[in-house]
Amino acid sequence: MPKPKDEFDGLYPCDFYTAEELFEPGEMYTVYEIGRLLQGLDPESELEPDTEAVLLDWAIPWVVANSEDLVVGNPVAEDQPGYYGLKREDDRRD
């Protein structure tokens, strides 16, 4: 249910990292790792499933919003997610 803005103690800008700020050049990340990075966590941090689900809710729209700056790599196995990384001029295009 929506709430009036005046019910909140404070309102803050909805700023997110750019892909260049978030990713290390030459590295590829899953959406789960991206969710952790967006919260300032190590991409390999262990999280409770409920926490991971919330972070995934942040990561997916971030990937969509930053898609022009990203490349996608296929999952290493059928039951695993794909990978995302910074787009570079020398990246292979198939």
Side-chain angles (χ1 to χ4, degrees), residues 32-33 36-37 41-53 55:
Y32 299 103
E33 293 164 336
R36 290 174 177 86
L37 289 170
L41 300 172
D42 183 285
E44 297 180 24
S45 299
E46 290 292 324
L47 299 175
E48 296 291 324
D50 288 346
T51 302
E52 186 144 72
L55 297 185

Side-chain angles (χ1 to χ4, degrees), residues 2-3 5 8-9 19 21 31 35 38 41 44 48-50 54 59-60 65 72 78 80 82 93-94:
K3 291 182 174 249
K5 285 183 178 180
F8 294 88
D9 292 335
E21 293 170 327
V31 288
L38 287 169
L41 300 172
E44 297 180 24
E48 296 291 324
D50 288 346
V54 170
I60 293 170
V72 179
E78 270 189 45
Q80 294 183 2
R93 299 192 199 331
D94 292 334

Side-chain angles (χ1 to χ4, degrees), residues 13-85:
C14 189
D15 294 332
F16 291 99
Y17 295 101
T18 65
E20 192 171 83
E21 293 170 327
L22 195 65
F23 290 167
E24 291 294 326
E27 297 293 321
M28 299 286 283
Y29 303 88
T30 67
V31 288
Y32 299 103
E33 293 164 336
I34 294 168
R36 290 174 177 86
L37 289 170
L38 287 169
Q39 294 300 312
L41 300 172
D42 183 285
E44 297 180 24
S45 299
E46 290 292 324
L47 299 175
E48 296 291 324
D50 288 346
T51 302
E52 186 144 72
V54 170
L55 297 185
L56 192 59
D57 286 346
W58 285 78
I60 293 170
W62 183 90
V63 167
V64 172
N66 288 276
S67 64
E68 289 185 17
D69 299 322
L70 302 176
V71 291
V72 179
N74 288 330
V76 295
E78 270 189 45
D79 63 342
Q80 294 183 2
Y83 286 80
Y84 301 87

